[in-house]
Amino acid sequence: MKRTALALLSLALLGSAALAQQVTIKINGYGGTDPAIVGDLINKFVKPIVAKDNINVVYEPLQGDYNKALTTLLAAGNAGDLLYLPGETAGGFIATNKLLPLNGLVSTTPFIKSLNSVFTVKGQTYAIAKDFNTLSLVYNKDLFDEAKVAYPSANETWKSLAAKLTAVKKALPSGYYGICLQPSFDRFGAFAYAEGWKQFDSAGKTNLLSKPFVDAFTWYTSLAKDKVGVTPSEISQGWTGGCMQTGKVAVAIEGNWVAGFLKDNAPNLKYGSTLLPKADATGKRGNFLYTVGWAVNAGTKNKAAAIRVLNALTSVDAQNYVLSEGLAIPSRTALQSNAFFNKPGAGPENARVVFQGATDGFVTGFNFGPAGADWSKIVDTALASVLSGQKSVKDALASAQADMNKLQSR
Amino acid sequence: MNQKGQTATAYLFLTPFLVVLAVFFCFAFLRTIYYSFTDFNLFDPPKLIGLKPYTDVLGDSSFRRALANSLLFAVITTTLQTVLSLLMAVALNRKIRGLSFFRAAWYMPSITSSVVITLIFLWLFQQQGVINYLITQLQSVWPLILTFALILIAVQVIQVLWEKSRKLPVGSFDPALLAASALIALFVTWGLSAAGVVTAHEVVDTVSRPGQITPFLYQYFADKWLSIGGVQIISVPLMVIIFMNTFTTIPTLMLFFLAGLQNIPTALYEATEIDGATPFQQLINVTVPMLRPVSFYVITVGLIGTLQMFDQVAVIGNAAPTDTLITLAYYVYANTFKSGVAPVYMASAAAIILAIITLLLVTVQRRFISPDAV
């Protein structure tokens, strides 16, 4: 009896020693659909790898405004061991010195170079891109068929696309539109890049009155004339994916995320995807590289374990899963020839186009610079005022440039 | 006289409140004052830099706009809500049928969350919202309304002249004649509409031709300003917020005035009635002076509340350009919560300036409306 009790006691002691060694890595990321996706990713691909090292992984989503919530947690020293680092706000977070430089800890070579550069400041890389997206031209096949207009192709220029959209609008009844135009830089910017526009000059200033920007701005907003183009709010939608869902808009400019959205919300919609049109002046396309990286909290007590989890999250298997689910395009160079891209269907087709978009023409990482979201709000306001017919291109850009000068001289 | 031990008991009961006040107000306030003289950015240890945060803030055009917006908002909203709540209270203090229903109905906006009301207003005022829809409908049926009005006036004039020619005592707006005129106008308009002589405009979504109109799609939350001599005074989005804020605060303030009205002796009104005072004279010479202590409270609460207005601006967020709506409270928030490093020293300086302005305004109005003077 005594022996049994002793054995049980020693077993319990051993168990508790093992438990004491177990490390929990907390991950901070977006709310919304991410907890389900990342939860799956952790359970299927991360836990099996790191469990043998006694590492447990917990995902803690930050609801609401992620950037503000993360700022508070980092300042208070309560942020997770691993975090999502959005490409567009990376600059502000890297400046806090609360992120661990990954040089020498994680190999960046297997990942797409341009994506690494989004998270690199003064030679130090602070995050590994978990995946990426670019923009593609998504079109409603039924509306083009009904209007007897040929589908947009990869050879389209701004001029030829505008002609097709006008023809579609004319052929369809009232309430149908050619294109859904988001009044924001995150879509329009790609067209400015196509004209060869640079977001910041060598002194870090932005010129909204340069010819390339004005030309792109004029073309984009000219589509609103005669209601060929419509803003999402005009048809009670919040974004251009919502416009597509209604089935009343022939074309939208979106990333690979639209495939999952349309699969769930408009399963019967027949759509196709192609590359963005080329600017007539340069013969080139422009595009954004949207990305979110995995960064390590510099204050983590479990640096080695956090790096292990980061490696598991960006492993070949994990990225293959993200791609096959139609969520995003993997950031590993080796996976760019994945068989998924060649599968038939609207989803894989869109993924293929989004992947091609990353290397075709003038492609730039989606970033607002050091002023953060205030920078883009100036362009967004100008776009909204012209698209809604309140201001002329000239007036809107003049006041936007004045605001930009104020912002950048602070 | 207090017995020994009573003071200690009083302090004991006050302790929880005093602790909360000390931690969440006094400590926070003192820290804000300290940060307003440093270069604090949330992450690096603060270093004293003297008055630079204040000069930086005053030199920031965004701050100046926030200051102008806050002051305009405070003055206009406080005036509107005080006057309207007083009138509402006077109206609801009368013995009218269904009084409790009206009192309850008017109180509803006050118990609804301001975030919910803001969302409802966003919906009402969006580009394809109810307000624009109603204006579009009004524009399309405008010919019918005009026809109805013209016929109504014509018939009324004829009837009044006819009655007068018979030497009958009749006013221009005689209700019986007006009802008959309205009925005739309605039938004639209906007849003209059925015959196709007068028709409503057709609403089309492309460029309109004669007889057609495009939908009214005014963007209320856009970069629209009321300017005088090229100087932007007040933005249209801010006017919408003033309207919304007045709508939601009137009920609460009306309740204070109602309570105050109950305490005014009826003998005063009876005396003025004997003297032959009109209801307006009674309002100005009896009600308003007797309500002075309540008015002082209402204006003070109104000023403090409006100077710190934040939630409506935050909820509307990106729906409106920053300059059109930014207030001092929002400026403080926006400069504290950015992505990563933030100019918290500027936010602190702005918060201190806001506190000083609030104190100043309340002191100024105290000089004009003393709560004790009756």
Side-chain angles (χ1 to χ4, degrees):
Chain A
M1 190 70 186
K2 257 187 179 176
R3 270 187 193 169
T4 326
L6 208 67
L8 278 173
L9 189 70
S10 49
L11 263 176
L13 279 172
L14 272 172
S16 63
L19 271 176
Q21 280 173 357
Q22 194 174 50
V23 171
T24 298
I25 294 296
K26 191 170 86 179
I27 302 175
N28 282 145
Y30 298 153
T33 53
D34 277 39
I37 299 160
V38 183
D40 242 19
L41 202 65
I42 289 170
N43 290 330
K44 285 184 182 157
F45 302 100
V46 180
K47 279 189 176 169
I49 299 173
V50 297
K52 61 179 183 295
D53 299 322
N54 261 340
I55 301 172
N56 186 32
V57 185
V58 182
Y59 186 73
E60 206 169 84
L62 305 183
Q63 301 294 347
D65 189 328
Y66 177 80
N67 288 315
K68 282 175 184 161
L70 182 64
T71 303
T72 318
L73 288 178
L74 275 176
N78 294 331
D81 305 277
L82 270 178
L83 351 138
Y84 276 21
L85 182 63
E88 67 271 22
T89 52
F93 284 114
I94 291 169
T96 65
N97 295 323
K98 297 279 179 185
L99 300 180
L100 191 72
L102 300 176
N103 299 42
L105 297 171
V106 180
S107 168
T108 54
T109 38
F111 301 95
I112 299 170
K113 224 175 163 186
S114 57
L115 290 176
N116 291 333
S117 69
V118 174
F119 302 106
T120 304
V121 172
K122 291 177 189 159
Q124 299 276 17
T125 304
Y126 291 86
I128 300 296
K130 69 185 189 77
D131 45 41
F132 77 97
N133 248 301
T134 66
L135 293 174
S136 65
L137 195 91
V138 184
Y139 56 89
N140 182 324
K141 289 183 172 176
D142 284 342
L143 293 191
F144 275 93
D145 288 343
E146 204 177 318
K148 297 190 173 62
V149 175
Y151 297 150
S153 72
N155 297 322
E156 226 66 68
T157 65
W158 290 3
K159 211 171 158 185
S160 66
L161 179 70
K164 280 187 177 176
L165 297 177
T166 311
V168 170
K169 169 69 188 169
K170 267 191 188 155
L172 295 175
S174 172
Y176 286 81
Y177 303 92
I179 186 168
C180 195
L181 298 166
Q182 191 90 26
S184 58
F185 178 72
D186 57 19
R187 300 290 179 279
F188 158 75
F191 294 92
Y193 292 140
E195 283 271 325
W197 177 72
K198 295 268 183 296
Q199 196 174 355
F200 301 104
D201 65 13
S202 54
K205 303 282 181 204
T206 301
N207 186 359
L208 304 178
L209 299 175
S210 65
K211 193 177 178 303
F213 191 89
V214 176
D215 287 351
F217 195 93
T218 309
W219 178 78
Y220 192 81
T221 52
S222 71
L223 293 170
K225 264 187 218 160
D226 297 342
K227 294 285 166 199
V228 170
V230 68
T231 56
S233 70
E234 283 179 79
I235 51 170
S236 301
Q237 295 296 321
W239 64 304
T240 56
C243 293
M244 284 304 285
Q245 184 203 348
T246 64
K248 294 194 167 181
V249 177
V251 162
I253 294 152
E254 282 299 339
N256 193 225
W257 52 79
V258 82
F261 172 79
L262 291 177
K263 192 167 83 177
D264 293 341
N265 295 286
N268 299 323
L269 186 86
K270 285 188 206 140
Y271 72 94
S273 306
T274 188
L275 290 163
L276 294 186
K278 296 172 186 172
D280 296 271
T282 59
K284 297 262 188 189
R285 313 172 211 279
N287 220 322
F288 277 124
L289 217 51
Y290 300 94
T291 185
V292 172
W294 291 110
V296 178
N297 183 348
T300 178
K301 287 179 187 133
N302 305 302
K303 202 164 85 177
I307 302 273
R308 271 177 187 278
V309 174
L310 186 151
N311 284 329
L313 280 164
T314 52
S315 66
V316 174
D317 290 344
Q319 292 214 333
N320 261 330
Y321 166 76
V322 170
L323 175 67
S324 62
E325 288 293 302
L327 300 169
I329 313 298
S331 55
R332 281 182 175 268
T333 320
L335 292 180
Q336 309 302 338
S337 52
N338 191 296
F340 176 80
F341 287 121
N342 299 320
K343 273 187 179 177
E349 185 194 22
N350 187 267
R352 195 162 58 239
V353 172
V354 165
F355 168 59
Q356 284 171 16
T359 47
D360 194 334
F362 300 118
V363 186
T364 307
F366 182 58
N367 194 302
F368 298 147
D374 292 348
W375 185 96
S376 70
K377 210 169 172 188
I378 292 173
V379 182
D380 298 354
T381 304
L383 280 168
S385 63
V386 179
L387 285 173
S388 61
Q390 298 173 62
K391 280 189 181 171
S392 68
V393 170
K394 204 179 160 195
D395 289 349
L397 288 182
S399 79
Q401 185 63 53
D403 289 344
M404 189 60 84
N405 293 344
K406 266 194 273 177
L407 178 78
Q408 295 190 328
S409 64
R410 263 185 219 167
Chain B
M1 207 168 140
N2 279 345
Q3 281 179 1
K4 208 178 174 186
Q6 273 190 346
T7 320
T9 315
Y11 277 120
L12 193 70
F13 277 107
L14 279 173
T15 307
F17 171 72
L18 290 175
V19 168
V20 169
L21 193 75
V23 173
F24 292 103
F25 182 76
C26 297
F27 174 69
F29 190 68
L30 291 175
R31 262 181 95 95
T32 310
I33 294 178
Y34 169 64
Y35 286 147
S36 74
F37 294 105
T38 67
D39 63 350
F40 188 48
N41 69 359
L42 276 184
F43 293 94
D44 299 320
K47 277 198 298 280
L48 282 167
I49 53 167
L51 285 173
K52 195 176 177 295
Y54 288 92
T55 52
D56 280 1
V57 157
L58 292 170
D60 184 3
S61 58
S62 186
F63 171 80
R64 291 199 296 270
R65 189 68 252 171
L67 183 66
N69 280 352
S70 287
L71 290 176
L72 274 169
F73 179 79
V75 172
I76 298 175
T77 311
T78 308
T79 312
L80 278 178
Q81 69 193 17
T82 309
V83 173
L84 293 175
S85 57
L86 174 67
L87 293 177
M88 197 73 72
V90 171
L92 290 185
N93 197 35
R94 287 167 190 272
K95 289 188 176 64
I96 51 169
R97 197 185 280 263
L99 184 67
S100 37
F101 166 76
F102 285 116
R103 280 186 182 174
W106 275 106
Y107 198 66
M108 284 302 280
S110 199
I111 53 169
T112 313
S113 147
S114 69
V115 174
V116 172
I117 300 238
T118 310
L119 288 173
I120 293 172
F121 267 69
L122 262 179
W123 170 66
L124 286 176
F125 285 94
Q126 65 176 267
Q127 210 175 15
Q128 293 240 323
V130 174
I131 303 286
N132 276 336
Y133 173 78
L134 288 177
I135 295 172
T136 305
Q137 293 307 310
L138 201 68
Q139 281 182 334
S140 73
V141 296
W142 188 240
L144 297 175
I145 295 174
L146 198 69
T147 311
F148 173 81
L150 286 175
I151 296 169
L152 177 89
I153 294 166
V155 175
Q156 181 73 2
V157 169
I158 292 167
Q159 285 200 92
V160 170
L161 288 178
W162 167 253
E163 294 291 324
K164 278 190 174 165
S165 70
R166 290 162 61 200
K167 308 271 189 242
L168 288 169
V170 64
S172 302
F173 299 100
D174 185 87
L177 295 185
L178 211 55
S181 305
L183 215 59
I184 294 168
L186 195 70
F187 272 112
V188 175
T189 312
W190 179 75
L192 289 173
S193 167
V197 179
V198 182
T199 50
H201 289 308
E202 190 192 344
V203 181
V204 291
D205 67 350
T206 48
V207 179
S208 57
R209 289 181 287 280
Q212 294 178 329
I213 55 152
T214 48
F216 191 78
L217 294 172
Y218 190 81
Q219 279 202 322
Y220 299 93
F221 294 103
D223 204 1
K224 285 261 180 196
W225 292 82
L226 191 78
S227 302
I228 297 174
V231 181
Q232 293 178 332
I233 305 292
I234 188 168
S235 69
V236 173
L238 192 67
M239 287 197 258
V240 173
I241 301 264
I242 288 175
F243 177 50
M244 174 168 67
N245 206 284
T246 311
F247 170 71
T248 50
T249 40
I250 281 180
T252 316
L253 304 181
M254 177 198 74
L255 218 60
F256 298 136
F257 277 126
L258 258 179
L261 284 171
Q262 313 282 325
N263 289 330
I264 301 177
T266 45
L268 282 177
Y269 290 104
E270 286 162 10
T272 51
E273 256 173 49
I274 292 167
D275 290 344
T278 61
F280 181 72
Q281 284 171 325
Q282 283 183 337
L283 178 73
I284 298 297
N285 297 312
V286 180
T287 312
V288 172
M290 290 300 288
L291 283 176
R292 244 184 151 145
V294 182
S295 306
F296 173 77
Y297 176 73
V298 164
I299 295 174
T300 309
V301 169
L303 274 179
I304 294 173
T306 49
L307 275 172
Q308 295 176 351
M309 197 272 285
F310 170 79
D311 44 0
Q312 282 101 335
V313 179
V315 173
I316 288 174
N318 283 332
T322 316
D323 267 9
T324 59
L325 280 185
I326 189 167
T327 57
L328 283 179
Y330 190 77
Y331 179 88
V332 171
Y333 169 78
N335 276 314
T336 307
F337 297 101
K338 287 192 178 281
S339 308
V341 288
V344 180
Y345 60 101
M346 280 171 80
S348 305
I352 299 299
I353 294 174
L354 173 62
I356 294 171
I357 291 172
T358 311
L359 274 173
L360 269 178
L361 275 179
V362 173
T363 316
V364 167
Q365 72 106 3
R366 197 185 161 86
R367 286 186 73 88
F368 288 103
I369 313 168
S370 168
D372 311 318
V374 176

